[in-house]
Amino acid sequence: RDYVILATIMMVALSVSGVAAFQPPLHRVRSTVTSIPQQQTAPKLPFLLMSTDDEASPSPAQLEKAWRHIRKPLIRIGNKGFAPSHINSLQNLLVQHNGAIKIKINRSSATSVPLDQYFEDLNKMYCEKEGDGGDGGLELVRTRESQNLIMVGGAGLMDRIMDGSYPPKTVVHIRPDNKPNEE
């Protein structure tokens, strides 16, 4: 009974946090509870199919694949925040790098501003520069607080991640001597 109660608590906690589908690892839970006989198997619990958003979102595996595709941050933001030159660089880099880049934000230890707020400020400046009135020219793909990194992309990047067209496949060029040359 203990493992069923624990599994139920886990399912409720994950459904509140917005996990789309979850099957608890009952075999691990069962092995840690000593009062359950070994021949008894854990009951199969149905998947929780819940969504916190009306829109579909990429799976964690798809987001991780997109995150790993970009190896290092191409823009670094200092303690003074964003400057117009950052927006110019961002526009150019998004075109050159398939619509997504990582940005390193140097925050002082006294500043407790979350990375999401930095993205909101960046998006506002970007939209003002583009002239679309702040209707979301950029998309925040992922943040990593421990490294002060954010991954941003142009409009439609999350859709490209979901349908598998981002990150792009590796391009192999054939040199004149017929040996493959990977980029």
Side-chain angles (χ1 to χ4, degrees), residues 136-183:
L138 295 175
E139 292 182 351
L140 177 63
V141 178
R142 192 170 183 188
T143 63
R144 184 162 288 167
E145 291 282 339
S146 63
Q147 297 175 338
N148 292 332
L149 288 174
I150 61 174
M151 180 178 170
V152 300
L157 180 64
M158 295 298 265
D159 294 332
R160 290 176 45 211
I161 292 172
M162 281 192 305
D163 69 20
S165 63
Y166 188 87
K169 309 294 184 248
T170 303
V171 178
V172 177
H173 296 284
I174 305 296
R175 297 186 311 201
D177 58 359
N178 291 330
K179 293 182 182 176
N181 181 19
E182 292 190 24
E183 285 192 68

Side-chain angles (χ1 to χ4, degrees), residues 4-178:
V4 173
I5 293 170
L6 181 60
T8 305
I9 292 170
M10 289 171 48
M11 288 173 37
V12 170
L14 288 171
S15 68
V16 169
S17 66
V19 173
F22 173 71
Q23 178 68 35
L26 293 178
H27 63 282
R28 291 185 185 159
V29 175
R30 185 170 48 102
S31 65
T32 61
V33 178
T34 57
S35 64
I36 300 173
Q38 290 297 84
Q39 69 272 13
Q40 184 180 0
T41 60
K44 297 290 181 189
L45 297 174
F47 286 101
L48 284 177
L49 298 175
M50 303 183 85
S51 176
T52 57
D53 299 328
D54 292 338
E55 301 175 7
S57 61
S59 71
Q62 290 171 319
L63 288 174
E64 183 67 21
K65 186 176 179 183
W67 179 269
R68 290 175 182 263
H69 177 71
I70 302 171
R71 301 198 190 282
K72 62 182 182 178
L74 298 175
I75 295 179
R76 296 182 190 281
I77 306 299
N79 289 333
K80 294 182 180 179
F82 298 105
S85 62
H86 289 118
I87 304 303
N88 294 335
S89 297
L90 177 64
Q91 290 172 326
N92 293 332
L93 289 169
L94 285 174
V95 170
Q96 295 170 1
H97 293 274
N98 296 318
I101 63 165
K102 286 182 185 172
I103 300 173
K104 173 83 171 181
I105 299 174
N106 296 328
R107 299 185 290 180
S108 64
S109 59
T111 304
S112 62
V113 177
L115 292 176
D116 295 345
Q117 184 61 45
Y118 280 98
F119 170 74
E120 294 299 327
D121 296 342
L122 174 67
N123 192 28
K124 183 178 176 185
M125 287 181 69
Y126 182 83
C127 290
E128 287 172 1
K129 174 99 172 148
E130 291 288 311
D132 61 2
D135 291 335
L138 295 175
E139 292 182 351
L140 177 63
V141 178
R142 192 170 183 188
T143 63
R144 184 162 288 167
E145 291 282 339
S146 63
Q147 297 175 338
N148 292 332
L149 288 174
I150 61 174
M151 180 178 170
V152 300
L157 180 64
M158 295 298 265
D159 294 332
R160 290 176 45 211
I161 292 172
M162 281 192 305
D163 69 20
S165 63
Y166 188 87
K169 309 294 184 248
T170 303
V171 178
V172 177
H173 296 284
I174 305 296
R175 297 186 311 201
D177 58 359
N178 291 330

